[in-house]
Amino acid sequence: MGSGTEQEDRFRRVYAGNFEALLAYALRRVDQPADAADVVAETFLVAWRRSRELPPDDEIKLWLYGVARRVLANHHRGGVRRERLGERLRQRLTAIVTRDPGSEVPQRLAVQDALSRLPETDREVLTLTVWEGLQPREIAEVVGASAAAVRTRLSRARSRMREMIGDDLGPPGHVLDVLTAIVPEEGR
């Protein structure tokens, strides 16, 4: 890429275009909002350090998810709090994050419990599909697996969720989309 100014401008665009999606991704995978902020900060730190090597714009989102996934793995393995995020990011997090009024809904708790009992690979593929809206070929790039393996894991994860929760979803409610997300067709 060209001059430092062009790299800074591109990084700013990448940050602005992907911050909220990465924050949502991290918030769903850690217990504390501050930990999610640390994961996002570290993800963008990697992107900043590698700004000369960033993939093209149409691939950057999946690349960032892959980086965030590895940062989360380090976070979970290490079990220690990450370095505190600057005041600016904390203020932004406070402005964005609001308490989910449905967080105490029994069905949501059942889904959270079932998700926690899924093997990590199944849970990751399922949540990338439902929460992040990624297709199997995109998930394959994020997790470093083939699209066929991702489709197999996704099918297995859905089956296990049905076994744990059941098919009777009752009336439409807060968590219906967690169990019945439609995955768009894609070329194999």
Side-chain angles (χ1 to χ4, degrees), residues 1 10-11 13-14 18 54-62:
M1 185 164 236
R10 179 162 187 239
F11 179 81
R13 286 191 312 274
V14 167
N18 294 283
L54 291 178
D57 288 347
D58 61 339
E59 298 173 16
I60 193 71
K61 183 177 185 176
L62 299 179

Side-chain angles (χ1 to χ4, degrees), residues 49-68:
R49 287 180 177 158
R50 298 186 61 195
S51 61
R52 292 184 187 272
E53 310 163 25
L54 291 178
D57 288 347
D58 61 339
E59 298 173 16
I60 193 71
K61 183 177 185 176
L62 299 179
W63 183 84
L64 287 168
Y65 275 131
V67 171

Side-chain angles (χ1 to χ4, degrees), residues 57-130:
D57 288 347
D58 61 339
E59 298 173 16
I60 193 71
K61 183 177 185 176
L62 299 179
W63 183 84
L64 287 168
Y65 275 131
V67 171
R69 184 174 182 268
R70 288 185 288 282
V71 169
L72 278 163
N74 289 338
H75 170 80
H76 291 304
R77 252 193 320 274
V80 291
R81 299 265 307 155
R82 301 289 178 240
E83 182 179 330
R84 286 279 199 232
L85 188 60
E87 187 58 33
R88 183 172 162 208
L89 186 55
R90 289 189 212 296
Q91 290 172 352
R92 184 155 185 189
L93 176 66
T94 302
I96 293 173
V97 176
T98 58
R99 180 82 174 130
D100 181 358
S103 64
E104 300 304 320
V105 173
Q107 295 93 342
R108 182 178 181 94
L109 296 175
V111 169
Q112 288 173 335
D113 179 59
L115 279 172
S116 72
R117 291 187 285 148
L118 285 177
E120 174 61 27
T121 55
D122 291 357
R123 180 174 50 248
E124 184 70 6
V125 172
L126 185 62
T127 58
L128 282 169
T129 299
V130 177

Side-chain angles (χ1 to χ4, degrees), residues 24-38:
Y25 175 83
L27 281 167
R28 292 183 189 106
R29 288 162 174 81
V30 296
D31 294 329
Q32 299 296 319
D35 291 342
D38 290 346

